[in-house]
Amino acid sequence: QVQLVESGGALVQAGGSLRLSCAASRSIRSINSMGWYRQAPGKQREFVATITSGGSTNYADSVQGRFTISRGDATNTVYLQMNSLKPEDTAVYYCRAIRITVPYWGQGTQVTVSA
């Protein structure tokens, strides 16, 4: 069992930055993969970024070079640093964990980027 809580979503102007946080109920050392997904109104949920327990990262082409996923000093926290935000980044952002092939999802946090 893994419980996830996201925070950090806000209204920001285009070109600005935000940092999202995801707190897990257990050490991420015991989680195979942590990641971020997002869903805009009328669209399917899409992949944003992932980080494995070994530290390997992967990013969607749309955020490459602008977003960075990382693990914090705490062993149960993962971050998504978002820079150079665009209106098309507007979405609900969800934290996702995979442990022993089982996926877990957070409740989501709203990010709105104004032009």
Side-chain angles (χ1 to χ4, degrees):
Q1 294 290 325
V2 182
Q3 287 76 52
L4 305 169
V5 179
E6 305 98 329
S7 62
L11 171 65
V12 64
Q13 292 183 327
S17 298
L18 284 174
R19 185 175 68 171
L20 306 183
S21 299
C22 176
S25 61
R26 64 187 300 150
S27 173
I28 58 176
R29 294 171 182 170
S30 66
I31 300 173
N32 301 106
S33 175
M34 295 287 292
W36 291 94
Y37 288 70
R38 65 188 183 186
Q39 186 169 20
K43 296 184 178 180
Q44 296 294 311
R45 189 171 299 183
E46 65 177 359
F47 161 79
V48 175
T50 55
I51 185 167
T52 69
S53 59
S56 297
T57 59
N58 195 23
Y59 298 93
D61 289 343
S62 60
V63 306
Q64 182 71 43
R66 299 188 298 120
F67 292 9
T68 303
I69 188 170
S70 64
R71 294 174 293 194
D73 292 336
T75 59
N76 65 337
T77 305
V78 65
Y79 299 99
L80 183 68
Q81 178 66 46
M82 305 185 294
N83 299 324
S84 301
L85 284 163
K86 305 174 181 179
E88 50 262 46
D89 294 319
T90 294
V92 176
Y93 283 70
Y94 296 90
C95 182
R96 185 228 62 195
I98 296 178
R99 174 173 162 76
I100 316 177
T101 77
V102 179
Y104 301 89
W105 293 91
Q107 84 289 346
T109 185
Q110 177 71 50
V111 172
T112 302
V113 184
S114 62

